[in-house]
Amino acid sequence: MTVGNIPRHVGIIMDGNGRWARKRRLPRSLGHRAGMNRMIGLISRAKQSGVKYLTLYVLSTENLARPRKELDGLFNLLRKYFDDNVKKLYAQNSEVRVIGDLSVLPPDVRLKLIEGEENSPENADFCVIFAINYGGRAEILNAAKRAAEAGEDISEEKFSSLLYTGGIPDPDFIIRTGGELRLSNFLIWQAAYAELYFTDVLFPDFTDELFSSALEEYSHRNRRFGKIEDDK
Ligand code: IPE
Ligand code: IPE
Ligand code: MG
């Protein structure tokens, strides 16, 4: 499906893997594996659709308090993803970025993520941003500390440049699967004027077609940014 008015930057809160597994009487780890496979598909679809930036909420700062067993499974999936897929992204001229506090992750995972970012092409025509141990509040606090250290007067633009997402335009469209109606600490500064889209579909069931329908809905949204209709 081709749609007009494509969002430049899309964020996805990929929620519902655990419930997807429970419905099938499978362990949660298999839900996360199914979610990872779906994520791979959506990265391609987003690029084909003309999206320029895709931010994927992989793991929140709060998720780090989950049981060790679940986290170990998630880290294994990340290891595998970065080993198997990142070079394919480079080959398609896609840039890889990682946002979040990587310092507390297992060292080998941290290294893979940093290398994934460092080896990625420059001037790419598509950028995938993985939010890992990411929290909007932690990000804002970190930027505030850097601003205080610099000691200069600070503008919204300057502050934005100090966030993990420095240099990346704000998200135009945020999709959350899994039925919850909240942001759960995702891009809370950057989402000020994002269009929000919530669906009950659990992430592993969020097909390319459903993603395209969400983009189609975005194309009909009327973004006013506080102005009145005639102002445009
Ligand atoms: C989202 O799925 C993935 C992560 C938060 C890591 P969940 O694991 O939160 O799935 P539900 O919400 O329990 O179904
Ligand atoms: C949000 O999902 C985080 C990710 C999808 C990575 P959660 O399942 O952690 O969110 P809550 O706990 O329902 O708010
Ligand atoms: Mg959840």
Side-chain angles (χ1 to χ4, degrees):
M1 189 193 331
T2 52
V3 290
N5 195 18
I6 297 290
R8 179 159 62 148
H9 182 175
V10 176
I12 310 184
I13 302 173
M14 306 184 292
D15 195 22
N17 296 346
R19 281 164 284 163
W20 183 91
R22 198 172 60 215
K23 265 173 59 180
R24 289 165 179 74
R25 298 176 192 276
L26 295 170
R28 290 179 65 84
S29 60
L30 291 189
H32 292 311
R33 194 164 81 187
M36 188 63 82
N37 288 333
R38 193 74 291 274
M39 181 185 88
I40 292 169
L42 287 175
I43 292 172
S44 300
R45 173 56 72 106
K47 184 169 191 257
Q48 284 160 14
S49 307
V51 169
K52 295 293 174 202
Y53 298 87
L54 177 68
T55 301
L56 299 163
Y57 204 5
V58 176
L59 194 69
S60 71
T61 47
E62 290 74 25
N63 292 151
L64 239 65
R66 288 192 182 187
R68 192 73 246 165
K69 188 166 158 250
E70 177 158 354
L71 289 175
D72 284 345
L74 285 166
F75 291 137
N76 278 337
L77 281 172
L78 275 177
R79 285 184 183 97
K80 187 164 162 42
Y81 177 80
F82 272 77
D83 284 344
D84 296 351
N85 290 281
V86 157
K87 287 200 184 70
K88 292 183 196 156
L89 289 178
Y90 301 163
Q92 294 154 15
N93 195 29
S94 301
E95 182 181 348
V96 172
R97 279 191 58 173
V98 181
I99 57 173
D101 175 11
L102 308 187
S103 69
V104 294
L105 302 183
D108 70 304
V109 173
R110 183 171 70 232
L111 194 67
K112 273 189 210 301
L113 300 180
I114 293 170
E115 282 175 359
E117 212 173 23
E118 282 177 351
N119 297 331
S120 84
E122 283 167 37
N123 306 317
D125 37 41
F126 178 63
C127 180
V128 195
I129 301 132
F130 297 94
I132 298 173
N133 191 26
Y134 171 87
R137 286 188 170 181
E139 177 183 41
I140 292 169
L141 199 59
N142 176 60
K145 284 180 186 160
R146 289 173 63 192
E149 273 161 26
E152 310 154 11
D153 192 21
I154 187 116
S155 62
E156 287 189 10
E157 285 71 28
K158 177 87 196 355
F159 192 76
S160 292
S161 76
L162 298 174
L163 297 170
Y164 301 141
T165 50
I168 298 169
D170 286 344
D172 302 291
F173 192 40
I174 293 181
I175 298 170
R176 180 173 188 144
T177 62
E180 310 298 352
L181 306 180
R182 54 179 172 256
L183 289 175
S184 302
N185 211 5
F186 184 57
L187 301 179
I188 52 177
W189 167 280
Q190 300 88 334
Y193 266 100
E195 294 295 321
L196 306 179
Y197 181 93
F198 296 100
T199 169
D200 287 339
V201 173
L202 304 173
F203 185 69
D205 292 330
F206 191 60
T207 58
D208 288 357
E209 290 67 35
L210 292 172
F211 177 73
S212 291
S213 316
L215 291 187
E216 163 73 13
E217 180 176 322
Y218 172 87
S219 73
H220 302 298
R221 298 275 181 101
N222 185 0
R223 304 185 76 191
R224 285 187 289 279
F225 298 98
K227 302 192 173 60
I228 53 174
E229 212 76 35
D230 300 344
D231 265 5
K232 281 215 257 172

